[in-house]
């Protein structure tokens, strides 16, 4: 099928491209930009006048809840939410039930994603069996079954020897290891440890709960030569350590959840459980430092850290609620706030949502180059909309941004040249 996307502002950071032109798709791949290929006859024309046309977004962290917790969400539901948010590639965490530590579970997730047909789901495999932190998982078999990387999520690997063996194995087979750095013994609270937590009487989680683990992981990465990615960092000092490691030549990268760029611990003032996240919202100084790290390319990607919950999970005293924000549909709109606040230019932002995440994963995606797969997001940067429990497609409506008017809305999402969402 031939598709012409006409008159849009085409932004492709992989080619340093930002201009108003037409884009042509043939048989699921990008056929040309600007002038039509010889003999091209469109079967359909998508008018993108006044809109932005960019590669489909790549979200580096999403909890899809299936298998095991379908009362919170399902692969089908979360895939629909992703498509509505312009996301064409989702990285799924292994914290399902059963855990993704066997090829069968990895294959099940991919089969269900293909059946849903709304987004491309790349599972992450467990770094240790059962995420118990004791024995290595069958990483090579999991990689052969489609796992894009390996993590122990926020479950502890208390033995540095076990962690080093995991990294040695990953380095041998050139496998990517993802750290969600957290010292379990220090992370026993529910919000950032500072004056706000003291005033509210809530147990705090110090920055050291993250930075101590980041330091340990970096030392072992340097020892083993493994490729590593630090997901959803929340402290300015973590970003600084990772940037210094990159300068020393270590193969490390980092991402940040969009809410950590917009919110701080002061937002927890009203005990609203929708602000209960792990890692916790940090201080305004941390937020400012993380924004500067993003600007300096010390942080390579912005993600949603999507964690849908059923309503009951958030209906309890703050400390007793389950942490997490559902964020697939709002990822782009919230990220656009960074452009409105003059922190990033629009092409810089789109790079953090498309090309740079693809480079972290080492996949062929996040580009509109001729011959590339036609995973495309079209959005109206001026459109205003209000997310609500009534209009969300996700299984969870747990977000502090529900009811807030946001700017920038996806109008079309194409996956491999096929329309999977149209507003």
């Amino acid at each position: 099928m031939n598709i012409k996307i006409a008159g849009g502002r085409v932004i492709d950071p992989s080619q340093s491209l930002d201009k108003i032109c037409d884009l042509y798709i043939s048989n699921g791949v990008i056929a040309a930009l600007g002038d039509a290929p010889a003999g091209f006859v469109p079967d359909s024309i998508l008018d993108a006048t006044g809109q932005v046309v960019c590669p489909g977004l790549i979200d580096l962290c999403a909890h899809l809840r299936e298998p095991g917790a379908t009362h919170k969400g399902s692969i089908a539901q979360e895939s629909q939410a992703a498509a509505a948010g312009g996301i064409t590639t989702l990285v799924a965490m292994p914290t399902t039930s059963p855990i993704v530590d066997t090829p069968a579970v990895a294959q099940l997730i991919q089969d269900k994603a293909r059946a849903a047909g709304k987004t491309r789901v790349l599972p992450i495999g467990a770094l240790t069996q059962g995420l118990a932190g004791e024995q290595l998982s069958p990483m090579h078999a999991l990689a052969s079954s489609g796992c894009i990387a390996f993590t122990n999520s926020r479950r502890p690997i208390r033995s540095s020897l076990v962690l080093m063996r995991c990294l040695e194995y990953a380095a041998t087979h050139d496998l990517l290891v993802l750290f969600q750095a957290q010292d379990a013994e220090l992370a026993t609270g529910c919000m950032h440890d500072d004056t706000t937590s003291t005033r509210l009487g809530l147990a705090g989680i110090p920055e050291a709960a993250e930075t101590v683990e980041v330091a340990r992981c970096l030392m072992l990465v340097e020892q083993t030569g493994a490729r590593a990615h630090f997901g959803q960092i929340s402290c300015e000092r973590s970003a600084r350590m990772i940037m210094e490691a990159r300068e020393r030549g270590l193969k490390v990268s980092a991402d940040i959840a969009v809410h950590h760029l917009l919110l701080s611990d002061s937002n927890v003032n009203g005990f609203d459980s929708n602000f209960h996240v792990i890692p916790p919202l940090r201080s305004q100084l941390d937020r400012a430092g993380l924004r500067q790290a993003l600007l300096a390319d010390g942080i390579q990607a912005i993600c949603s850290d999507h964690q849908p919950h059923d309503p009951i999970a958030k209906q309890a005293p703050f400390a007793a609620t389950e942490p997490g924000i559902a964020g697939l549909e709002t990822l782009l709109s919230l990220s656009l706030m960074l452009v409105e606040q003059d922190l990033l230019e629009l092409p810089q932002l789109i790079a953090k949502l498309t090309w740079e995440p693809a480079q972290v994963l080492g996949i062929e995606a996040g580009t509109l180059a001729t011959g590339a797969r036609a995973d495309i997001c079209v959005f109206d940067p001026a459109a205003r909309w209000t997310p609500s429990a009534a209009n969300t497609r996700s299984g969870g409506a747990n977000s502090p941004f529900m009811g807030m008017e946001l700017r920038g809305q996806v109008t079309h999402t194409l996956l491999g040249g096929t329309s999977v969402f149209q507003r």
Side-chain angles (χ1 to χ4, degrees), residues 121-347:
V121 173
L122 304 177
I124 290 186
L127 190 61
T128 62
Q129 291 182 27
L131 298 177
E134 296 174 355
Q135 295 181 316
L136 276 67
S137 69
M139 283 189 268
H140 190 271
L142 288 167
S144 300
S145 300
C147 288
I148 193 69
F150 298 88
T151 185
N152 223 57
S153 191
R154 299 197 183 278
R155 313 282 179 86
I157 301 179
R158 290 188 166 86
S159 168
S160 293
L161 178 61
V162 171
L163 180 54
M164 188 171 76
R165 293 290 181 253
C166 290
L167 291 171
E168 286 173 341
Y169 187 91
T172 299
H173 296 280
D174 193 28
L175 304 174
L176 177 66
V177 175
L178 187 149
F179 295 118
Q180 291 180 305
Q182 176 176 280
D183 185 300
E185 293 179 352
L186 292 173
T188 56
C190 61
M191 69 169 292
H192 177 57
D193 186 18
D194 206 343
T195 55
T196 302
S197 65
T198 302
R199 180 165 48 81
L200 296 176
L202 294 173
I205 301 175
E207 289 185 10
E210 178 172 296
T211 55
V212 164
E213 186 65 10
V214 168
R216 179 176 78 135
C217 293
L218 284 173
M219 291 301 102
L220 292 176
V221 166
E222 189 165 19
Q223 174 72 28
T224 60
R227 284 193 300 131
H229 178 76
F230 289 83
Q232 304 83 63
I233 61 172
S234 66
C235 304
E236 182 270 341
R237 191 170 181 182
S238 298
R240 193 171 353 119
M241 286 192 289
I242 294 165
M243 290 170 72
E244 290 169 355
R246 286 170 62 84
E247 290 171 2
R248 297 200 307 272
L250 271 64
K251 296 177 286 187
V252 294
S253 54
D255 72 58
I256 186 170
V258 66
H259 47 265
H260 278 102
L261 293 168
L262 301 174
L263 304 173
S264 70
D265 63 334
S266 61
N267 292 106
V268 183
N269 253 335
F271 294 98
D272 183 348
S273 62
N274 284 315
F275 291 100
H276 183 192
V277 294
I278 298 293
L281 300 172
R282 297 292 182 185
S283 69
Q284 293 182 26
L285 286 175
D286 271 310
R287 182 180 63 183
L290 290 167
R291 284 175 164 226
Q292 287 306 308
L294 183 73
L295 193 59
D297 204 33
I299 296 173
Q300 285 64 51
I302 300 171
C303 72
S304 69
D305 194 12
H306 176 69
Q307 298 181 48
H309 284 297
D310 55 303
I312 293 174
K314 289 290 188 178
Q315 293 172 357
F318 187 93
T321 58
E322 295 185 48
I325 290 175
L328 292 177
E329 292 170 273
T330 55
L331 174 60
L332 177 61
S333 298
L334 295 179
S335 298
L336 286 170
M337 288 184 181
L338 302 174
V339 177
E340 292 180 38
Q341 296 168 7
D342 295 324
L343 180 69
L344 296 173
E345 297 294 332
L346 185 56

Side-chain angles (χ1 to χ4, degrees), residues 5 11 17 25 48 82 128 164 376 403 417:
I5 302 178
I11 299 179
L17 179 68
I25 300 168
T128 62
M164 188 171 76
I376 296 172

